[in-house]
């Protein structure tokens, strides 16, 4: 019987650079991406203490233009985009009618009639089709510009000093979750956003996606950050960094089976702005007393690493939940995890256990984020 050939992995414009650099490559949601270069711990620590560089070009970029683009965004996004000023970005999510997640997104307001929605890599096609469907009754045009950009994330406490060498923009004027345009590495009108997924200060820049330009900018950023110890970082460090900061990952903390309140993201769901896709279900959950389970942080008391999918047990050994993400924390030197447990058992400092290779290993429920970056001294 004939079988169909497996689909070829998609590649960013920097794929050859990653391979020449000796990066370990993995299949990430259909993309051939670097998971680490010099080692996960070294890359993680570079971002926490200096600066690291990520290729995040696999992320998607969807643009809505037209007189009713705001109305469309308000329909499919749970946060209130009407509060955005031009040049401001906003964390939000797209929901199914039952209040669970299509995906989380970053909404950028480019102008009064122009919005850029940054979506996740593994859900790009699903998200694009969802936005198109949701926006079709509004007077706006939806375009997928995902393949037009190479997106680089420069992250860490020395990120601003690194990028400052390469741009004419006064980066001190770009606040967290704001963006601007300027010349970067000689490229005019480059979008520079003070956003990221590491819990550190940092920037994401969008440059043309041809291989020559992408490689030149990649190398110039590495050269600019050399005095601050910059190194290229892969998806492994990106995952441990976001876990320490308790940032949600699609397919783990958020999915089509998890609602907004369970995920602890209710503060971003602006029910007062008026109806949007999923709002009726969220109001119903509230009216019925709130969610039945809750995402909590776990810190292992006994020796053991709580990995994704491991059962969480109560004192009598009964399964009460499941780990969604878990790892040793390179910065905190502890084994940490996120897990869903029943609300009535989600007491701070409460003791549970994680089943690791058949053994019940003690863990404590702790506040999140596990790591919060220090405030800058005045």
């Amino acid at each position: 019987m004939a079988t169909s050939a497996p689909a070829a992995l998609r590649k960013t414009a920097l794929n050859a650079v990653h391979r020449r650099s000796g990066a370990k490559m993995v299949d990430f949601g259909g993309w051939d991406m670097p998971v680490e270069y010099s080692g996960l711990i070294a890359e993680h620590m570079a971002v926490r203490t200096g600066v690291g560089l990520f290729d995040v070009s696999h992320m998607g970029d969807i643009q809505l233009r037209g007189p009713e683009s705001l109305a469309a965004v308000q329909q499919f996004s749970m946060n209130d985009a009407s509060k955005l000023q031009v040049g401001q970005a906003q964390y939000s999510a797209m929901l199914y009618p039952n209040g669970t997640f299509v995906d989380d997104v970053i909404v950028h307001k480019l102008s009064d009639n122009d919005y850029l929605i940054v979506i996740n890599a593994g859900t790009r096609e699903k998200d694009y089709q969802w936005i198109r469907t949701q926006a079709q009754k509004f007077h706006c045009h939806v375009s997928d510009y995902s393949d037009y950009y190479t997106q680089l994330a420069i992250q860490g406490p020395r990120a601003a000093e690194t990028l400052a060498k390469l741009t004419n923009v006064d980066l001190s004027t770009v606040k967290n979750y704001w963006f601007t345009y300027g010349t970067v590495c000689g490229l005019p009108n480059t979008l520079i956003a003070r956003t990221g997924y590491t819990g550190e200060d940092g920037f994401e820049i969008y440059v043309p996606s041809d291989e020559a330009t992408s490689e030149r900018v990649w190398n110039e950023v590495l050269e600019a950050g050399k005095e601050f110890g910059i190194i290229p970082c892969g998806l492994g460090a990106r995952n441990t960094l976001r876990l320490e900061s308790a940032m949600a990952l699609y397919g783990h903390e958020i999915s089509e089976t998890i609602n907004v309140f369970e995920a602890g993201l209710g503060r971003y769901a602006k029910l007062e702005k008026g109806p949007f896709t999923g709002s009726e279900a969220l109001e119903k959950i509230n009216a019925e007393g709130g969610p039945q389970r809750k995402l909590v942080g776990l810190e292992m008391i006994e020796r053991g690493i709580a990995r994704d999918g491991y059962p969480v047990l109560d004192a009598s050994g009964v399964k009460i939940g499941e780990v969604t993400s878990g790892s040793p924390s390179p910065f905190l030197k502890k084994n940490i995890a996120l897990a869903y447990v029943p609300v009535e058992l989600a007491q701070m400092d409460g003791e549970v256990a994680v089943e690791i290779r058949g053994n019940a290993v003690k863990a404590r429920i702790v506040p999140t984020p596990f790591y919060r970056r220090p405030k800058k001294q005045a």
Side-chain angles (χ1 to χ4, degrees), residues 109-162:
K109 183 173 181 176
L110 306 179
S111 75
D112 286 341
N113 298 319
D114 195 350
Y115 291 82
L116 175 68
I117 316 298
V118 176
I119 58 177
N120 286 311
T123 51
R124 261 173 61 164
E125 186 57 32
K126 179 189 76 169
D127 289 359
Y128 176 50
Q129 294 304 330
W130 183 261
I131 291 172
R132 280 174 56 91
T133 301
Q134 293 282 301
Q136 63 187 3
K137 66 179 180 182
F138 299 99
H139 189 190
C140 65
H141 187 71
V142 181
S143 305
D144 183 358
Y145 287 114
S146 303
D147 294 332
Y148 285 61
Y149 300 110
T150 283
Q151 185 179 342
L152 301 181
I154 306 159
Q155 300 284 298
R158 312 304 292 270
E161 293 165 274
T162 299

Side-chain angles (χ1 to χ4, degrees), residues 320-338:
I320 57 170
E322 189 170 288
V323 172
T324 55
S325 300
S327 169
S329 161
F331 186 79
L332 301 172
K333 315 296 186 194
K334 301 173 181 175
N335 293 332
I336 59 173
L338 294 169

Side-chain angles (χ1 to χ4, degrees), residues 277-299:
T277 303
S279 61
E280 188 175 340
L282 297 185
E283 287 173 342
K284 185 169 184 285
I285 293 168
N286 267 340
E288 293 175 348
Q292 300 300 305
R293 57 178 177 169
K294 181 180 178 183
L295 185 68
V296 296
L298 297 182
E299 184 180 306

